[in-house]
Amino acid sequence: MRKKIVAGNWKMNKTYSEAVPLLYEVKDLLWKSKKGESVIKIIIPPSLYIHDFYETTKGLKNIFIGAQNCSYEESGAFTGEISASMIKSVGGSYVLIGHSERRSYFKETNEELKRKTDITLAHGLHPIFCVGESKDKRESGEHFKVVESQINESLFHLQPGNFKKVVIAYEPVWAIGTGLTATSTQAQEMHHHIRSLIEDKYGRILAEETSILYGGSCNEKNAAELFACPDVDGGLIGGASLKAKEFVEIIQAIPQ
Ligand code: PGA
């Protein structure tokens, strides 16, 4: 059975003195309840905090720490960049690749994201690869095409053994941070489409094993309906991951 995953993308939020208590709050709430125990929980704070977060959560079942980005270069004179090997060396297990904010503000291309995916996998990290269409593309009915080319150009060169380590997150750009969530029908339809693309490329077994997360204004109120969709395997949560109670409620909304 494929993994159920809830990942919290903290983006560029929280100073260190705010971040540590929030992590403890999440940890304490999870500790108190058995509900959601089997869900893979990934906290993705600003990279500066990865090591501390790893040390704080080390040994806890099904909790992992991730990075929000990494360089496609191995090492060297790339001022300001953080490499996959560095992320690994401080305890990171996952890396967000191709978040729409990186694609739009930092002009990351499918080709660059392909290189980021490769380097992440080469260092034993799991990419959480984000795809999703803009409002315009949804309105013009090109949403399937957009997502298809994002996946084709950045992921489908992978050998099955590596593709297996990738988590996909469908995040319609128009839903991120806007309060506009995709309906469960829209989410299911796209997740099913993504799974059928994987099946065409890698076969049924791998397609059935790939976790596909939904992201975009997912919160404690709408999570249960989204997670009840057969092809939605969890969520990538932005805003609501910055509130411990809400984030844990989202985790607990995964069907048991
Ligand atoms: P949101 O962000 O939950 O605040 O919409 C999701 C994301 O950007 O991953």
Side-chain angles (χ1 to χ4, degrees), residues 9 11 99 101 171 175-178 215-218 236-240:
N9 172 15
K11 310 192 181 186
H99 189 280
E101 287 148 19
E171 298 204 304
I176 298 178
T178 57
S217 299
C218 181
L236 176 55
I237 318 300

Side-chain angles (χ1 to χ4, degrees), residues 5-14 19 22-23 26 40-47 49-50 53 64-70 94-103 105-106 108 128-131 169-172 175-177 213-218 234-244 246-248 250-251:
I5 301 173
V6 174
N9 172 15
W10 288 19
K11 310 192 181 186
M12 197 172 72
N13 290 298
K14 305 289 173 194
L22 176 56
L23 176 66
V26 171
I40 306 279
K41 297 157 273 280
I42 308 166
I43 314 274
I44 311 178
S47 293
Y49 311 154
I50 293 176
F53 276 36
F64 299 92
I65 308 301
Q68 296 174 15
N69 179 33
C70 81
Y94 289 81
V95 183
L96 276 187
I97 295 182
H99 189 280
S100 72
E101 287 148 19
R102 303 280 331 162
R103 290 178 188 265
Y105 304 143
F106 303 97
E108 294 188 354
I128 302 177
F129 191 86
C130 305
V131 296
Y170 168 57
E171 298 204 304
I176 298 178
L213 315 184
Y214 170 79
S217 299
C218 181
L236 176 55
I237 318 300
S241 71
L242 297 169
K243 295 175 214 138
E246 280 83 338
F247 185 56
V248 171
I250 295 171
I251 293 167

Side-chain angles (χ1 to χ4, degrees), residues 4 10 17 75 85 125 180 196:
K4 299 288 182 183
W10 288 19
S17 60
S75 66
S85 63
L125 295 160
L180 286 176
S196 62

Side-chain angles (χ1 to χ4, degrees), residues 72 97-99 102-103 108-118 129-130 154-155:
Y72 49 71
I97 295 182
H99 189 280
R102 303 280 331 162
R103 290 178 188 265
E108 294 188 354
T109 63
N110 287 344
E111 177 55 31
E112 285 168 347
L113 300 175
K114 176 184 182 188
R115 292 178 64 191
K116 290 189 181 204
T117 303
D118 287 343
F129 191 86
C130 305
S154 304
L155 293 182

Side-chain angles (χ1 to χ4, degrees), residues 196-241:
S196 62
L197 295 173
I198 302 169
E199 181 171 346
D200 290 347
K201 173 76 187 172
Y202 295 106
R204 181 92 198 260
I205 296 177
L206 202 37
E208 284 301 321
E209 278 175 2
T210 305
S211 299
I212 308 175
L213 315 184
Y214 170 79
S217 299
C218 181
N219 57 39
E220 73 289 0
K221 295 190 184 80
N222 57 32
E225 187 183 338
L226 288 159
F227 297 167
C229 299
D231 286 295
V232 177
D233 306 309
L236 176 55
I237 318 300
S241 71

